[in-house]
């Protein structure tokens, strides 16, 4: 195809008006820390494993709503326990 190297997805970026609040929730849920931060505008979380994809949060004035909202498909061993943990952390 002409590429010198194959592109990889490095992060999934979520637009938000409050990157710190979303980062705190996802750090607790995924049991990861902050990998990098660019002022109050951008936060990258550590990937869960070597070579994994990180979740990032970008500050915007007005995030896109409706059907174009991003979602993440998650795999868990115990769905009930996972849902309880999300609710405990303030998710819905």
């Amino acid at each position: 195809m002409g590429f010198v190297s194959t592109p990889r997805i490095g992060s999934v970026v979520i637009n938000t008006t409050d990157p710190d609040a979303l980062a705190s929730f996802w750090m607790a849920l995924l049991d990861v820390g902050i990998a990098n931060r660019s002022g109050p505008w951008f936060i990258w979380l550590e990937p869960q494993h070597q070579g994994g994809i990180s979740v990032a949060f970008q500050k915007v004035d007005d995030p896109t709503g409706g059907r174009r909202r991003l979602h993440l498909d998650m795999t868990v061993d115990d769905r009930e326990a996972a849902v309880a943990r999300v609710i405990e952390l303030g998710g819905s």
Side-chain angles (χ1 to χ4, degrees):
M1 297 254 169
F3 291 118
V4 174
S5 64
T6 303
R8 297 186 324 257
I9 296 172
S11 58
V12 174
V13 180
I14 301 170
N15 291 341
T16 177
T17 57
D18 192 349
D20 287 299
L22 275 185
S24 294
F25 171 82
W26 285 101
M27 284 189 303
L29 182 66
L30 300 175
D31 193 26
V32 298
I34 292 177
N36 196 2
R37 178 181 205 108
S38 180
W41 308 281
F42 217 98
I43 300 171
W44 289 268
L45 301 186
E46 299 169 334
Q48 283 185 302
H49 55 82
Q50 181 75 15
I53 296 170
S54 68
V55 178
F57 307 96
Q58 179 176 339
K59 184 175 178 68
V60 295
D61 293 329
D62 188 22
T64 303
R67 296 183 56 83
R68 287 176 279 203
R69 295 182 91 177
L70 174 78
H71 76 273
L72 303 176
D73 288 342
M74 311 282 287
T75 302
V76 296
D77 294 327
D78 183 342
R79 186 176 187 280
E80 287 184 34
V83 169
R85 178 77 171 134
V86 167
I87 292 168
E88 173 189 319
L89 292 169
S92 59

